[in-house]
Amino acid sequence: MATPTTEMTETLGKKPEHTPEQNPKPKLELESEPNKQTEPKTPCPLFIETKQRCLVNAEQLKRYSTPQELPTDTRTAPDLDIGFGQQRALKALETAFNIKASGYHVFAAGENGLGKRTVISRLLKRTAADAPTPDDWVYVHNFTDPRTPLALRLPAGRASLLQQQVNHLWQQAKKRLNQRFRSDQYQSKIEAIKNDTHQKESHAYDVLNAEGKQYDLTLTFRSFDNKAMFVHPSKLATENGDETDINPTDSHSNTPSTRKHTNTSNTSNTSDTDDTHGHKDSENDYSHNHGYSEHPNTEYNRSEHESELNNFIKKNHMQKRLSQLTIALEQLEDEANDTIETLHRDIARRALQPLFAPLYEQFSTLPKIIDYLKSIFADMVTHVERIVNGDDEEFVTAVLATIPSRYAVNVIVSHSPNSGVPVIFEDMPTHLNLLGHVEQITQLGTVTTDVSMIRAGALHRANGGYLLLEASHLLEHPYAWQGLKRALQSRKIKLSSLEQMITLTGSLSLAPAPIDLDVKVILLGEADLYYELLELEPEFDAVFKVRADFHDDVVRTKEHELALVAKMADIIDYAKLYPFDNSAQATLLEHLSLQAEDQNRLSLHSDLLIKLLHESNRHAHLNEKDIVDAHDVIQAIDDMEERSGYLRDLYWDEIKSGQQLIQTKGYAVGQVNALTVVSYADSEFGLPARLTAVIQPNIGNGEVLDIERDVDLGGSLHAKGMLIMTSYLRSLFSQHHNLNFSASLAFEQSYAHIDGDSATLSEACALLSALADVPINQSFSITGSMNQLGEVQAVGGINAKIAGFFDACREQNLTGQQGVVIPMANVKHLMLRDDIIAAVKADTFHIYGVQTLSEALTLMTGLPIDTVNKKGRYRKNTLFGKILGRLMLWDENQNGHDDLDEKDQSDKEPSQKTSSDKVTTQKDKKRRKAKRQKKKKDREKRKREQEKESNNNVAIENEKNVD
């Protein structure tokens, strides 16, 4: 690394270490130049001419609005045009709204704060009022399949009416049924049915008892279990003597209703056996039970045995007859119950029919509603006993309701007749809020739900109309986009359990019938989000086929200024602020041009305008005025800048204390004051930054090291600008001489990320200054982009950049020589502060607009840049001529060093030379000789080409003169 350092000191004008005898080459003009750190004593005529041509007048620094051309105050402002400045977006919206095909939904693209939602909402409300009102929707109990509630459509305003009528119907039905079932007439009919059944049972028992008496048996009932049985009269007397509780059939203590259970339980095994088997089995059982053997001892025992066996057989026969009678009596009891149930239904029909008739007539044009009312009627008739008893949960009034959920009419969406179509904005578009959900209630540890707990979503409320959603909010919630997409594609709203989708469980819940969907959805978002959705969501373009672009600004004309004043008046009226006079209106319009960064455009950001109006109104209130003027607006702007200026103040403190090295006077080689914009959150301000270039001669082939890029502090746009600048420099000098150097560029004391190509022009100036060893006037600061042809292009943040350097110069005292070099294309973007304009008018600060790199370099160095002589060569006093001279000087110095090395080798005594030295010396001699011959041929070739080009130019000029 020793050699580059030495060579670099030579380029700065220091004496070479070798003697003139060692380097007999004549010195170029570069070496005879005066000290570059001082200002040239005699300005170049081209510099004076360029300075005058590029100077920007004070009248070009800001465009003012004339208060006299504006309304006296906002109370006299014209009416607001809703679509002001957004005709392209409104046309796209109109196209989408007029097409009823699937997928014609809208993505409204534009920056946040433009007022997209306000514009669209006002437009829709104006057109929606005259549109036909959509139908109402209700969910009701499905009596066929309770798990799938029915969705019913009704004309606008009829859903609430149906709900009221059904609620009233329930109250009247319950009251009337209770009256009917508690009336004396009903009780007498029930008694008649019971008495008739009792008589039939008593007659049957009497007939059976008479039959038993033929067998000397009596039918009786045991009192402790009411069981019927046949006994011998003698046993009946004995058992009565033994206090056995047995009642004969003529006892009136047993009613037919109490005997039914006894008879049913006494249906014995013998009922299925025939008489033969019964007789034999009974005989065997009787013999076995009484201990008789096959060989009786006496005749008396045989006779007694036969008598008892005969009695047993008779008794068993009568028990079978009793079992048959029990079955008959059960059928009789069922018939009685059927008769009572028929009576109940007849009573219910007669009681409910008058209540339902008016509803049938009222909804006669709606067949599905009539079917539903008939289902309610049939269900009430079928379950009339449960309704009257009131002991069944399904027929008891639900929690927080006035009617059992079984008969509840759940109004999902209802509209007033002739109210137009709905315009809904959902600020929290979760899956549940969009598609609706089914609520649940926990009672005594049991989770239940019913049709009355179905809740509508935004799609239900907007059905038939328009739904506005923030795209970024929609994508924040899981499954919300999938649910919306599915609903729009199927054109149906189907409620689904989000819990099942997330947990993948199969818990039982309601599955309401889907509702037909007819809605236009407008997504609001920035353009970047739109492009991301197009890339990442394949079906997005199929659902949202229309894009409505909202503009950030509008052309600044008198008509548009009046339209913006009308917008101000609308905001002022809505917020109930003080009126603004024409001076305040003019100041606001000028600030909107500043925000648009263009004299000929006005920003349309509604958020900024609303903020300014409110804060200006505050200052007018503090100043005890009833109208807002320009002074109040300026105070509000200053307050807003002060609030967001904390970071800016930290930077300025470093500049004031000398921690940030900024030089606004004098000259320096390879050093430029570049202009930057610092953006952080809502804070944006301009600052000067020192940009330096360093050259390493005879190393490399014209490579330029971008230090910011190599340490990952430079963005891709910054790297692009650096490559463009490098390519341009190669095209300037590579055709004249080899680029036998390398360079490095860096923003000094910069520790943050840098991006953008606005430093391309300043980087080119710093690098060319270092190559030519020509100082740059530090009184100037420069910004601008540059293309490969050397043309200067516009950059952003120009007003903040100029203000940043002006504040730095004012901090270090204005000398009258300081100024800013900007692209000429940026002059129309200037909306500078009034104090900067005053300094320009006082000739203490200057602003220059350039179109080419040569103009910028002329202003910065005071030298001509690329003028050529008759031979087409750069003149020695030009910047490019000095660069070529230095390139050749470095080449000659390198050759001089090679000669010195060769002489050192030849001065050695033969005895001191080793064999390796001899071989190396011979190789070096051949290499240097070949190199010199090649350079000589290159110079001769370039000379011939230049002479040929010069001759051609002379010939062309002669032809022109002849013509």
Side-chain angles (χ1 to χ4, degrees):
M1 297 298 292
T3 303
T5 305
T6 304
E7 291 174 351
M8 186 168 63
T9 57
E10 292 175 353
T11 62
L12 296 176
K14 292 187 179 181
K15 183 178 180 181
E17 294 180 357
H18 52 269
T19 61
E21 291 76 9
Q22 296 168 338
N23 187 13
K25 302 288 184 180
K27 293 184 179 179
L28 297 181
E29 184 182 359
L30 176 66
E31 295 179 307
S32 61
E33 291 291 331
N35 186 1
K36 303 302 185 297
Q37 304 301 322
T38 60
E39 181 181 1
K41 295 181 180 179
T42 304
C44 172
L46 182 61
F47 168 74
I48 297 174
E49 188 271 331
T50 303
K51 193 173 182 180
Q52 292 175 349
R53 184 179 70 251
C54 297
L55 182 65
V56 180
N57 298 325
E59 292 75 15
Q60 299 176 270
L61 304 182
K62 185 175 183 179
R63 178 178 173 180
Y64 292 92
S65 294
T66 306
Q68 291 74 20
E69 297 178 353
L70 301 173
T72 307
D73 60 55
T74 51
R75 290 173 293 191
T76 60
D79 294 335
L80 174 65
D81 179 11
I82 297 176
F84 163 63
Q86 306 295 352
Q87 284 72 21
R88 184 193 302 271
L90 297 184
K91 187 175 181 180
L93 290 169
E94 184 179 358
T95 300
F97 297 159
N98 291 338
I99 298 177
K100 302 301 181 183
S102 176
Y104 275 86
H105 305 282
V106 184
F107 189 99
E111 290 186 8
N112 291 332
L114 285 177
K116 302 187 294 293
R117 192 180 86 193
T118 302
V119 172
I120 295 175
S121 297
R122 289 189 174 187
L123 174 67
L124 292 179
K125 288 179 180 178
R126 187 178 63 182
T127 59
D130 300 330
T133 307
D135 292 335
D136 295 349
W137 285 91
V138 299
Y139 271 116
V140 295
H141 181 76
N142 187 348
F143 296 100
T144 304
D145 184 5
R147 188 174 177 269
T148 58
L150 300 175
L152 302 179
R153 184 200 297 261
L154 297 93
R158 304 294 294 277
S160 299
L161 177 62
L162 176 64
Q163 185 186 51
Q164 295 172 3
Q165 294 291 0
V166 172
N167 289 352
H168 180 71
L169 174 67
W170 163 254
Q171 302 297 337
Q172 294 297 318
K174 186 175 182 181
K175 180 179 178 180
R176 180 169 293 190
L177 290 175
N178 285 331
Q179 290 175 351
R180 293 288 191 275
F181 281 84
R182 286 175 174 78
S183 63
D184 294 338
Q185 184 180 3
Y186 167 76
Q187 297 296 336
S188 62
K189 290 181 179 180
I190 292 298
E191 284 298 325
I193 295 172
K194 289 182 178 181
N195 291 336
D196 181 62
T197 304
H198 178 70
Q199 290 176 1
K200 291 179 180 179
E201 288 181 350
S202 299
H203 177 70
Y205 279 119
D206 291 342
V207 172
L208 187 62
N209 189 32
E211 182 180 353
K213 288 181 178 179
Q214 296 176 4
Y215 299 104
D216 201 15
L217 294 173
T218 301
L219 180 65
T220 185
F221 296 87
R222 294 188 308 201
S223 60
F224 65 89
D225 60 359
N226 204 29
K227 182 180 180 179
M229 58 182 301
F230 280 97
V231 296
H232 194 272
S234 60
K235 274 193 174 182
L236 179 63
T238 304
E239 291 177 359
N240 287 336
D242 293 339
E243 299 182 354
T244 302
D245 192 5
I246 299 179
N247 300 318
T249 56
D250 56 351
S251 173
H252 298 283
S253 61
N254 295 289
T255 62
S257 60
T258 59
R259 296 189 192 109
K260 175 182 177 182
H261 301 290
T262 304
N263 296 337
T264 304
S265 61
N266 197 29
T267 308
S268 61
N269 313 353
T270 59
S271 60
D272 295 331
T273 58
D274 55 32
D275 292 341
T276 306
H277 277 100
H279 178 73
K280 291 181 179 180
D281 293 342
S282 299
E283 184 177 354
N284 293 334
D285 291 343
Y286 183 83
S287 302
H288 175 73
N289 292 336
H290 290 78
Y292 294 107
S293 63
E294 295 294 334
H295 306 283
N297 297 325
T298 61
E299 187 67 26
Y300 174 78
N301 290 337
R302 182 180 298 107
S303 175
E304 184 178 358
H305 169 68
E306 291 177 354
S307 176
E308 290 181 1
L309 179 60
N310 187 32
N311 291 336
F312 180 79
I313 293 172
K314 293 177 181 179
K315 182 178 179 180
N316 190 43
H317 172 70
M318 292 307 301
Q319 284 296 134
K320 292 181 180 179
R321 295 281 294 125
L322 179 61
S323 298
Q324 295 172 358
L325 177 62
T326 301
I327 296 174
L329 292 179
E330 287 178 352
Q331 294 176 352
L332 181 65
E333 193 73 25
D334 292 339
E335 292 175 359
N337 291 335
D338 290 342
T339 303
I340 294 175
E341 186 174 349
T342 302
L343 174 64
H344 289 170
R345 293 185 179 184
D346 290 341
I347 294 174
R349 288 191 185 93
R350 290 194 298 271
L352 297 177
Q353 191 65 42
L355 299 179
F356 277 84
L359 270 70
Y360 293 152
E361 183 178 355
Q362 191 172 10
F363 296 96
S364 59
T365 58
L366 303 173
K368 291 187 177 181
I369 303 301
I370 297 298
D371 293 341
Y372 169 64
L373 292 174
K374 289 181 178 179
S375 299
I376 295 179
F377 178 80
D379 189 75
M380 286 185 175
V381 170
T382 302
H383 303 99
V384 61
E385 298 94 339
R386 300 165 71 179
I387 294 175
V388 174
N389 293 335
D391 56 355
D392 194 319
E393 292 182 358
E394 293 188 20
F395 298 91
V396 176
T397 301
V399 179
L400 304 177
T402 59
I403 187 173
S405 59
R406 189 180 187 86
Y407 303 124
V409 176
N410 187 356
V411 178
I412 296 300
V413 59
S414 179
H415 307 284
S416 300
N418 302 320
S419 61
V421 299
V423 179
I424 304 297
F425 172 73
E426 178 56 54
D427 60 346
M428 190 174 180
T430 64
H431 183 276
L432 301 182
N433 291 346
L434 280 177
L435 300 172
H437 61 285
V438 181
E439 293 180 342
Q440 296 177 336
I441 188 171
T442 303
Q443 290 180 327
L444 301 177
T446 303
V447 179
T448 60
T449 186
D450 54 57
V451 68
S452 65
M453 297 184 187
I454 301 175
R455 296 293 173 257
L459 285 174
H460 294 94
R461 298 194 301 273
N463 198 7
Y466 306 94
L467 175 62
L468 278 71
L469 300 171
E470 286 285 352
S472 58
H473 297 172
L474 176 69
L475 298 175
E476 288 175 358
H477 303 287
Y479 298 98
W481 162 249
Q482 289 83 351
L484 176 65
K485 180 179 68 173
R486 183 189 64 186
L488 295 181
Q489 288 177 334
S490 64
R491 307 188 78 171
K492 291 184 180 296
I493 311 174
K494 183 178 181 180
L495 278 73
S496 57
S497 174
L498 183 61
E499 179 184 2
Q500 292 181 3
M501 297 170 64
I502 295 176
T503 62
L504 303 178
T505 59
S507 58
L508 183 64
S509 181
L510 295 180
I515 290 177
D516 295 336
L517 178 63
D518 179 19
V519 69
K520 289 290 183 181
V521 177
I522 300 97
L523 284 184
L524 310 173
E526 296 190 353
D528 292 343
L529 181 58
Y530 175 79
Y531 294 128
E532 289 180 9
L533 287 172
L534 280 180
E535 181 180 358
L536 301 176
E537 174 53 71
E539 297 179 317
F540 180 78
D541 190 39
V543 179
F544 289 87
K545 295 182 177 180
V546 178
R547 170 181 169 179
D549 284 309
F550 280 75
H551 297 289
D552 301 339
D553 49 37
V554 69
V555 177
R556 186 175 180 180
T557 62
K558 291 182 179 180
E559 292 77 11
H560 288 169
E561 286 186 342
L562 289 175
L564 264 175
V565 171
K567 184 176 181 179
M568 296 177 196
D570 181 72
I571 298 172
I572 290 168
D573 292 340
Y574 179 80
K576 297 181 174 55
L577 305 179
Y578 292 145
F580 282 57
D581 66 11
N582 51 13
S583 66
Q585 299 167 24
T587 305
L588 286 169
L589 291 172
E590 293 163 7
H591 190 72
L592 292 177
S593 275
L594 173 61
Q595 295 302 315
E597 289 194 347
D598 196 327
Q599 294 179 353
N600 301 318
R601 303 197 72 84
L602 293 166
S603 173
L604 294 177
H605 279 260
S606 298
D607 284 355
L608 172 65
L609 183 58
I610 293 172
K611 188 188 298 185
L612 275 174
L613 292 175
H614 279 275
E615 298 199 19
S616 301
N617 181 81
R618 169 181 172 270
H619 283 287
H621 178 73
L622 294 176
N623 296 330
E624 299 180 352
K625 295 185 293 187
D626 57 358
I627 192 168
V628 182
D629 56 21
H631 177 72
D632 300 319
V633 177
I634 292 173
Q635 280 187 303
I637 294 173
D638 293 341
D639 284 355
M640 293 168 63
E641 291 181 352
E642 183 182 2
R643 288 199 304 270
S644 62
Y646 174 71
L647 186 62
R648 177 192 59 200
D649 293 342
L650 293 179
Y651 275 92
W652 279 111
D653 288 342
E654 292 182 355
I655 293 177
K656 293 176 182 178
S657 63
Q659 297 181 36
Q660 285 277 351
L661 301 179
I662 297 296
Q663 186 177 346
T664 60
K665 60 184 71 173
Y667 290 79
V669 175
Q671 178 176 306
V672 174
N673 289 324
L675 294 177
T676 62
V677 172
V678 178
S679 297
Y680 181 77
D682 62 341
S683 177
E684 181 176 291
F685 54 92
L687 280 177
R690 176 175 289 183
L691 176 64
T692 59
V694 176
I695 303 298
Q696 296 87 31
N698 292 320
I699 297 179
N701 296 309
E703 296 89 355
V704 179
L705 173 64
D706 182 6
I707 294 179
E708 308 296 336
R709 180 66 172 174
D710 281 13
V711 297
D712 293 332
L713 287 180
S716 57
L717 295 180
H718 175 76
K720 178 183 177 182
M722 180 70 72
L723 293 175
I724 289 175
M725 183 266 298
T726 305
S727 299
Y728 176 68
L729 296 183
R730 288 178 183 275
S731 67
L732 287 176
F733 304 112
S734 61
Q735 58 182 335
H736 301 291
H737 196 276
N738 294 328
L739 301 181
N740 52 348
F741 71 92
S742 62
S744 61
L745 284 167
F747 282 90
E748 305 296 344
Q749 295 182 284
S750 173
Y751 310 105
H753 187 78
I754 296 175
D755 203 1
D757 62 348
S758 62
T760 309
L761 186 60
S762 56
E763 289 167 344
C765 291
L767 182 59
L768 291 171
S769 168
L771 282 172
D773 195 25
V774 171
I776 286 179
N777 190 349
Q778 300 300 298
S779 298
F780 289 106
S781 183
I782 186 169
T783 184
S785 175
M786 189 182 74
N787 60 24
Q788 293 190 109
L789 303 177
E791 298 169 340
V792 179
Q793 303 168 145
V795 295
I798 192 67
N799 294 286
K801 291 176 178 179
I802 294 174
F805 188 67
F806 175 80
D807 292 339
C809 294
R810 186 171 56 182
E811 183 65 29
Q812 298 181 2
N813 296 324
L814 292 171
T815 63
Q817 303 298 321
Q818 293 140 336
V820 175
V821 179
I822 65 173
M824 185 62 76
N826 276 123
V827 173
K828 65 179 181 180
H829 301 150
L830 296 178
M831 289 294 294
L832 297 179
R833 298 192 322 237
D834 290 339
D835 57 341
I836 301 177
I837 298 174
V840 172
K841 289 181 178 179
D843 206 26
T844 58
F845 193 75
H846 311 279
I847 297 175
Y848 302 95
V850 297
Q851 294 179 331
T852 63
L853 173 63
S854 297
E855 289 180 343
L857 286 170
T858 299
L859 292 172
M860 302 290 285
T861 62
L863 295 177
I865 305 304
D866 53 2
T867 55
V868 295
N869 55 21
K870 294 180 180 180
K871 296 182 180 181
R873 298 180 181 180
Y874 294 122
R875 296 183 182 275
K876 292 183 178 180
N877 64 337
T878 64
L879 185 72
F880 288 176
K882 293 179 179 295
I883 293 174
L884 286 176
R886 296 197 78 205
L887 292 176
M888 289 186 290
L889 176 62
W890 294 334
D891 199 6
E892 292 168 357
N893 289 342
Q894 181 66 31
N895 292 335
H897 284 294
D898 293 341
D899 293 340
L900 287 175
D901 293 340
E902 183 179 350
K903 185 178 180 181
D904 290 341
Q905 290 292 332
S906 63
D907 288 343
K908 288 184 180 182
E909 295 182 2
S911 59
Q912 296 176 341
K913 295 182 180 180
T914 63
S915 59
S916 61
D917 288 337
K918 294 178 181 179
V919 175
T920 303
T921 301
Q922 292 176 357
K923 290 182 178 179
D924 290 341
K925 285 181 179 181
K926 292 180 180 179
R927 179 177 57 82
R928 285 192 292 269
K929 184 178 179 180
K931 187 175 182 181
R932 285 194 298 269
Q933 290 177 353
K934 182 180 179 183
K935 289 183 178 179
K936 183 178 179 180
K937 290 180 180 179
D938 291 340
R939 286 195 295 269
E940 291 176 353
K941 183 179 179 181
R942 285 195 298 269
K943 184 177 180 180
R944 287 195 300 269
E945 290 176 351
Q946 290 175 357
E947 288 177 354
K948 184 178 179 180
E949 184 178 356
S950 178
N951 294 334
N952 291 336
N953 292 334
V954 171
I956 293 172
E957 290 295 333
N958 293 334
E959 290 178 2
K960 289 182 179 178
N961 294 333
V962 171
D963 293 339

